[in-house]
Amino acid sequence: MALFFAFIALAAAALGVRHWSKRQRRQQLLASTLTEEERAIVDRHVTLMTRLPADIREKLEGKMALFLDQVRFYGNNGLEVTQDMRLSIAAQACLLVVNNDQWYRSLRTILIYPSAFKSKRLNQSGFVVTEREIARTGESWHLGPVILSWAHSERGAMNDHDGHNVVLHEFAHQIDDLSGRAIGVPLLGKNQSFAEWERVFLKAYDEHVSAVEHGRKTLIDPYGAEGHEEFFAVSVEMFFERPRALQRDVPSVYRELSKLFRLDPASWPSRR
C-alpha cells in the first residue's frame, strides 16, 4: 500500500513539473521579440502592422512566438512554405488575440495552397442531398485546421485598406468557434453582455441582408448576408482594415468589436 501511495505521489509530482514547465515556456515565448530581419519581413508583407501602436506591436511579437511554437504549416500542391508565409499569417492571426485573453487553444495545423483550391460542399433540399465542388480562398474548420490560398492571403495582407483579408476572415471564424460553434457569437469580454451583442448584430445583420437583397451598395461585404457567422467575419475584416468607415456607418458594430478585441484601430495612424 505504501508503494502505491508513493507511486501516486511521484505521478502527481511529475504532472506538476510538466504543467510548470509548459507554463514557464509559455511565459518565455510571450516575453520574446522578433529579430530585426523578422520585423522587416512582417512589415513588408503585412502593411497593417506598420500602423500598430508600439505597445500593441510589442505584445503581438510575443503572441506570434507562442503561435509559431504551437502551429505547424503544410504546403499543398507543390507549395513550399517559407518563413515569410509563416510570419505573415502568424502576425495577422495574432492581431485578433493580441490584447485579450482569447487563444487558438485547439489549432495545430494550417494548410496553404498556392492559390484558390477546390472544396466539396453538400446541399440538402428535402430528402435530396447533392455534392458540388467550389473554388475557395480560405476555410476554417471546427478545432482546426485553417486552410488558406497563399496568393489571396498575400494580396490581402499587402492591401490594408480595401476591407478584404482572407487571413483575418478565417481567423475570425476561429475566434467565433471558441464558443463551441461558429454562429456569429464569440466568447465575449467581461465588459460585454450577450443581450447587447445580440441586439446590435441581429439588427445590423438584418439591415445588411435587406440592403443586399434590394441591390443597395453596402460598406460591409455582401458575402456577410450568407449567414450570421459570415457577417461577423467580414465585419472583422472591416474593423481592422477600414475602421473609420465602419465606425462612421455602423458605429454599434464597431463598438462591440472594439470591446471584444480591446482595440481601437480607428485611432491608429493611417500609415507610419
Side-chain angles (χ1 to χ4, degrees):
M1 184 62 72
L3 185 60
F4 172 76
F5 283 115
F7 175 78
I8 294 297
L10 285 172
L15 286 173
V17 169
R18 183 182 179 187
H19 176 75
W20 177 84
S21 179
K22 289 178 66 175
R23 186 174 179 180
Q24 285 292 104
R25 177 167 177 75
R26 178 184 176 87
Q27 294 304 315
Q28 290 171 356
L29 288 167
L30 288 173
S32 62
T33 59
L34 298 179
T35 65
E36 288 301 320
E37 179 185 1
E38 289 169 336
R39 287 195 190 104
I41 290 172
V42 171
D43 288 350
R44 186 166 64 248
H45 283 277
V46 190
T47 54
L48 177 58
M49 296 298 113
T50 64
R51 293 164 44 198
L52 297 186
D55 60 328
I56 298 297
R57 182 65 183 257
E58 184 177 348
K59 289 183 182 179
L60 181 73
E61 294 189 3
K63 293 283 179 85
M64 286 177 63
L66 183 62
F67 185 88
L68 291 168
D69 184 67
Q70 173 181 311
V71 176
R72 295 292 172 265
F73 296 76
Y74 298 95
N76 291 273
N77 291 357
L79 179 72
E80 181 180 349
V81 177
T82 66
Q83 182 190 37
D84 292 24
M85 294 177 186
R86 286 190 288 266
L87 288 170
S88 172
I89 293 169
Q92 295 171 84
C94 289
L95 184 58
L96 275 63
V97 295
V98 67
N99 217 31
N100 59 35
D101 297 327
Q102 298 199 54
W103 188 249
Y104 308 110
R105 54 181 179 268
S106 299
L107 181 64
R108 294 292 181 275
T109 304
I110 293 176
L111 306 177
I112 311 176
Y113 284 83
S115 58
F117 53 92
K118 291 182 178 180
S119 175
K120 293 182 179 180
R121 172 176 289 184
L122 295 178
N123 293 311
Q124 184 170 354
S125 178
F127 294 104
V128 179
V129 178
T130 58
E131 181 180 271
R132 64 189 181 96
E133 283 191 337
I134 58 174
R136 304 294 294 269
T137 60
E139 284 187 346
S140 172
W141 290 45
H142 176 59
L143 304 179
V146 169
I147 310 173
L148 298 165
S149 154
W150 175 244
H152 294 83
S153 298
E154 184 177 37
R155 189 180 310 138
M158 291 292 290
N159 186 340
D160 66 343
H161 56 271
D162 66 350
H164 299 290
N165 184 304
V166 66
V167 178
L168 293 180
H169 185 102
E170 300 307 333
F171 278 92
H173 284 315
Q174 286 288 303
I175 292 292
D176 191 6
D177 195 46
L178 292 177
S179 64
R181 188 181 175 192
I183 56 174
V185 186
L187 293 174
L188 302 179
K190 295 179 181 178
N191 61 337
Q192 292 180 281
S193 73
F194 172 77
E196 181 64 8
W197 179 277
E198 183 181 46
R199 184 190 70 79
V200 166
F201 272 84
L202 284 181
K203 181 175 184 293
Y205 173 74
D206 289 343
E207 291 175 350
H208 181 71
V209 171
S210 177
V212 171
E213 289 178 345
H214 288 85
R216 295 195 298 270
K217 186 178 180 180
T218 59
L219 174 70
I220 296 173
D221 193 306
Y223 186 63
E226 291 291 314
H228 295 93
E229 73 286 359
E230 297 300 346
F231 183 73
F232 170 70
V234 295
S235 295
V236 169
E237 293 179 75
M238 290 298 301
F239 177 75
F240 284 103
E241 292 214 340
R242 299 190 62 194
R244 294 185 181 92
L246 184 65
Q247 187 181 50
R248 180 193 65 231
D249 288 15
V250 201
S252 58
V253 167
Y254 181 89
R255 283 195 300 270
E256 288 301 310
L257 292 177
S258 184
K259 291 178 185 177
L260 176 69
F261 296 116
R262 299 182 193 174
L263 295 170
D264 183 20
S267 68
W268 298 348
S270 297
R271 279 303 160 88
R272 193 175 68 188

